[in-house]
Amino acid sequence: MARLNELNLIDALEGLKTGRFTSTELVTACYEQIEQFDPVVKAFVTFTKERALEQAKEADDLIQKEGGKAFEKKPLLGIPYACKDNFSTTGIETTASSNILKGYFPPYESTVTTRVNEAGGIMLGKTNMDAFAHGSSTETSDFFKTLNPWDISRVPGGSSGGSAVAVASDMCIFALGSETAGSIRGPAAWCGVTGMKPTYGRVSRYGVIAMASSTDSPGPLTKTVDDAAYVLEIIAGKDPFDATTSPKSVPEYSGFIKDFDLKGFKIGRPRSYFEIDLEDEVREIVESAVKKYEELGAEIVDMDLLDPKYSIAVYTILQRSEVSSNLARLDGIRYGQNREAFGMEARKRMMLGAYTLSAGYYDAYYSKAQKVRTLIIEDFNEAYKKVDLVIGPTMPSIALKLGESDNSPMFGELMDVLAEPSAIAGLPGISINAGFSRGMPVGVQLIGQQLTEGNVMGVAKVFQQNTDFHLNRPVIKSSE
Amino acid sequence: MKLKQQEIPLSNGFSFVIITFDMSELIITKEQVKRIAHLCKLQLTEAELEKFSQMFTQTLAVIDVLNELDTSDVPETYQVTGLGNVFQEDVEQKGTLTQEEVLKNAKNKKRGLIVTKGVFDR
């Protein structure tokens, strides 16, 4: 029998409902795993063990009292999760892995964690990330580097690296992350888990420490697509505290993808996503995933999309500009440390953003980028007249070795090249494990039109129903 | 400006393309970096000024690819939701933070207010 912490969300819920085990046992199993392996991979920056065990006890009491009915009002009752450190959590230190926010205890809770907690979810702790989500390797955390559990000489990807590692290492049942362009899908691909980046505005940004406000999208990192659908249903939806959230009602994703049928589905294979500098094995694995979809009844359509190199440029300008505006508020007066505490990466991004927004350069950079953004959106709109979804590699390579990003001032932007176009256009995308290259997981991503999370997850689920890549777990070896 | 592309091989055969350039032709000079740092309220060392000036020039060189695209008739997209004029109902907001909660994280406070340096000349 699988150890409790190894269960996926759906199975863990079933076990709690039927009384096969208690939430206290489940939470304890997660902490046992954390205590054994977190000293090696370092996924967490803060633990909330005492509180979690109290909440588990409360959950167990409620289940004892109300039985299965308790889950109708609290669909995540007794489920332990890990939370990226950029979600504000009342009274629990929230730093976005930055020195400048060290010692900051938010007086309010983010909408996403509020919803998860009200649904009965139990937070195990906060996970490490690139400081302020500025990065794609979790190496730019101001505290320490998180290591990839499949090979601890490699990075986990980022910026939601800690969350991806916590899921891949079975330290939690699911995790919360956020993506600006690649920060959920990237680490999910490199750690071999499922990462769902929703449509911009589908999930509230309220209480999430801002990176680039026009693309920031919170979302789940999970063990299966079913789990992602289940969590998304809970965290998605209109929020009066975030005016950019969509007023459209949230579909019942779990039910929608239950018996998903690929027949008649057109999946676009953009040539430009396969023509960039991909590792050979990554290309082969993604091509075999495309073939698998064809076997399963989908129609594969070769198509053109704008060269993603334009998205690197657009994203770099928009993100640096928005970062410069968002980090201007950190003055050390109301909370946090003073601006001397900013790390290298944040300084670099703020300053370039201040430049691209400044008088005289605004038109050449910021305005130009926003115009090309329009072209990228129109390009996708044209594509979705012909296909239902777009498929491609998530990352151009397997996880890199630690330290390899040091040479490039645009490392993150270059690594996230395949996530940037969809992020700029606010589209939903999922990354799932499609195979292994030299023992490291390789992700394939599916990208849909805005607010078609159901289709995106449905098509991804069919892949997991017919393959078992997502069931593989790393054997964590310490360096000795 | 003369740009040279240089490939830096990584493990597993993958490589980064690093753009190098003639140092006499920095798009962003050290003086400009100093000014931007001032705008951002950041203090940089001489070595950092040099480093950032090179990094920014490198990044702007990559960004230059946008000029391959004609955008003369293209409008800007500032947000992608298509929503406009999002209003809230004019009702009393519950759950406002108390003064104590708001001040909790401030280091320097006095009589229920946050103490800051003066910003206006008398």
Side-chain angles (χ1 to χ4, degrees):
Chain A
M1 199 187 96
R3 289 165 59 214
L4 297 183
N5 55 299
E6 294 171 7
L7 294 173
N8 65 41
L9 170 56
I10 303 297
D11 290 345
L13 276 168
E14 191 53 34
L16 288 174
K17 276 182 201 170
T18 53
R20 203 156 57 77
F21 48 83
T22 64
S23 173
T24 303
E25 288 169 330
L26 187 58
V27 169
T28 304
C30 288
Y31 277 118
E32 279 171 9
Q33 184 78 354
I34 288 169
E35 277 147 24
Q36 190 174 357
F37 292 110
D38 197 60
V40 181
V41 293
K42 294 187 245 177
F44 287 85
V45 293
T46 302
F47 294 104
T48 47
K49 186 172 179 182
E50 209 173 301
R51 193 183 86 138
L53 286 168
E54 274 168 33
Q55 289 174 333
K57 171 108 193 11
E58 285 164 23
D60 288 333
D61 289 346
L62 193 64
I63 297 167
Q64 183 100 48
K65 207 169 111 203
E66 295 185 16
K69 256 187 93 99
F71 293 88
E72 286 168 23
K73 265 183 271 163
K74 292 185 176 291
L76 286 172
L77 186 60
I79 297 289
Y81 73 95
C83 181
K84 189 176 181 180
D85 199 36
N86 59 349
F87 288 88
S88 301
T89 44
T90 311
I92 296 164
E93 192 175 14
T94 299
T95 65
S97 293
S98 74
N99 279 331
I100 194 170
L101 286 177
K102 195 106 190 71
Y104 170 55
F105 292 80
Y108 71 106
E109 187 86 19
S110 81
T111 295
V112 168
T113 48
T114 298
R115 288 182 180 178
V116 168
N117 296 343
E118 281 176 358
I122 297 173
M123 194 175 79
L124 296 166
K126 308 289 288 285
T127 56
N128 198 20
M129 53 188 283
D130 288 293
F132 291 110
H134 298 169
S136 302
S137 66
T138 314
E139 288 175 294
T140 72
S141 162
D142 285 347
F143 306 149
F144 47 80
K145 294 174 182 184
T146 297
L147 310 181
N148 193 309
W150 294 91
D151 174 355
I152 57 167
S153 70
R154 293 177 188 277
V155 302
S159 63
S160 311
S163 285
V165 170
V167 175
S169 313
D170 284 318
M171 293 172 178
C172 59
I173 303 302
F174 75 94
L176 295 172
S178 66
E179 170 162 334
T180 306
S183 280
I184 288 176
R185 287 174 281 176
W190 280 0
C191 292
V193 301
T194 300
M196 177 70 206
K197 180 255 180 225
T199 305
Y200 176 78
R202 180 77 290 189
V203 178
S204 169
R205 292 175 292 115
Y206 179 72
V208 181
I209 293 165
M211 201 253 226
S213 304
S214 80
T215 62
D216 285 347
S217 308
L221 291 109
T222 56
K223 298 177 186 179
T224 68
V225 176
D226 278 322
D227 291 0
Y230 194 88
V231 176
L232 187 59
E233 227 168 275
I234 291 162
I235 62 174
K238 178 86 186 143
D239 176 17
F241 297 135
D242 177 359
T244 59
T245 47
S246 171
K248 298 228 168 74
S249 64
V250 177
E252 202 222 313
Y253 297 122
S254 306
F256 184 81
I257 69 168
K258 193 159 184 276
D259 302 302
F260 199 84
D261 190 359
L262 273 185
K263 282 264 144 42
F265 237 83
K266 286 187 186 157
I267 300 179
R269 183 190 167 285
R271 291 181 192 93
S272 55
Y273 284 41
F274 289 80
E275 279 163 8
I276 69 157
D277 192 7
L278 296 179
E279 276 182 8
D280 291 341
E281 274 190 351
V282 168
R283 180 179 280 111
E284 282 162 28
I285 287 166
V286 178
E287 291 286 17
S288 65
V290 174
K291 203 169 282 163
K292 185 86 199 168
Y293 272 119
E294 200 165 22
E295 283 167 27
L296 292 170
E299 186 187 334
I300 305 299
V301 182
D302 279 308
M303 58 182 288
D304 292 309
L305 274 179
L306 263 181
D307 190 324
K309 74 178 179 187
Y310 298 113
S311 294
I312 298 179
V314 171
Y315 176 65
T316 302
I317 296 172
L318 299 186
Q319 176 243 87
R320 302 282 198 270
S321 302
E322 294 182 28
V323 161
S324 114
S325 158
N326 278 327
L327 294 189
R329 71 171 68 108
L330 296 180
D331 50 19
I333 294 171
R334 294 158 300 155
Y335 55 87
Q337 313 303 315
N338 70 39
R339 290 175 76 78
E340 289 308 298
F342 271 125
M344 196 61 174
E345 191 67 27
R347 286 162 181 253
K348 188 182 90 188
R349 294 191 185 207
M350 267 189 289
M351 293 204 305
L352 193 66
Y355 177 79
T356 54
L357 286 175
S358 62
Y361 300 101
Y362 179 92
D363 284 339
Y365 295 113
Y366 189 69
S367 173
K368 178 78 185 181
Q370 297 288 34
K371 287 175 179 175
V372 177
R373 182 184 213 174
T374 306
L375 293 179
I376 292 166
I377 292 169
E378 286 171 355
D379 186 44
F380 272 116
N381 288 345
E382 276 307 304
Y384 287 122
K385 285 179 186 163
K386 291 170 230 144
V387 299
D388 300 297
L389 280 178
V390 167
I391 193 168
T394 310
M395 299 294 271
S397 71
I398 60 166
L400 293 181
K401 295 269 189 186
L402 289 158
E404 283 190 312
S405 67
D406 296 348
N407 278 330
S408 171
M410 290 178 70
F411 164 76
E413 289 72 23
L414 296 171
M415 269 297 135
D416 290 333
V417 54
L418 295 164
E420 281 153 6
S422 49
I424 290 165
L427 307 178
I430 197 167
S431 178
I432 50 174
N433 193 2
F436 291 85
S437 168
R438 286 149 293 158
M440 297 303 293
V442 172
V444 63
Q445 64 169 332
L446 294 153
I447 301 161
Q449 297 178 68
Q450 283 201 1
L451 300 175
T452 61
E453 281 81 0
N455 283 344
V456 170
M457 292 188 288
V459 172
K461 183 197 156 99
V462 173
F463 190 82
Q464 289 190 344
Q465 275 175 322
N466 290 281
T467 57
D468 57 9
F469 302 116
H470 65 291
L471 301 177
N472 287 282
R473 283 286 171 274
V475 180
I476 304 169
K477 294 189 198 106
S478 57
S479 46
E480 290 91 61
Chain B
M1 187 172 68
K2 283 193 204 89
L3 293 176
K4 264 194 304 192
Q5 291 206 344
Q6 185 195 348
E7 280 206 14
I8 310 264
L10 301 172
S11 61
N12 320 323
F14 194 77
S15 65
F16 275 129
V17 174
I18 300 284
I19 313 249
T20 51
F21 46 86
D22 181 348
M23 289 293 294
S24 61
E25 296 182 85
L26 293 168
I27 306 177
I28 301 192
T29 61
K30 260 167 53 177
E31 275 315 300
Q32 278 174 298
V33 175
K34 210 179 219 170
R35 199 182 120 69
I36 301 166
H38 174 72
L39 287 175
C40 293
K41 265 196 164 311
L42 294 171
Q43 274 168 7
L44 302 185
T45 62
E46 194 63 20
E48 282 173 329
L49 287 177
E50 180 97 28
K51 188 171 176 194
F52 280 122
S53 157
Q54 289 176 32
M55 275 184 164
F56 292 161
T57 297
Q58 219 170 319
T59 303
L60 291 179
V62 175
I63 287 169
D64 200 50
V65 45
L66 292 183
N67 291 319
E68 291 173 14
L69 298 170
D70 179 11
T71 52
S72 44
D73 297 325
V74 182
E76 289 131 332
T77 298
Y78 292 105
Q79 55 98 348
V80 297
T81 62
L83 302 172
N85 295 339
V86 178
F87 298 115
Q88 284 201 16
E89 271 196 68
D90 191 14
V91 290
E92 189 197 347
Q93 292 295 317
K94 294 200 180 93
T96 315
L97 298 177
T98 63
Q99 191 174 22
E100 194 191 335
E101 286 169 326
V102 170
L103 293 176
K104 209 181 70 184
N105 282 283
K107 280 196 221 76
N108 198 354
K109 50 205 160 186
K110 206 171 178 183
R111 292 199 298 272
L113 297 169
I114 296 169
V115 178
T116 69
K117 278 189 200 155
V119 288
F120 299 109
D121 291 330
R122 283 180 185 255

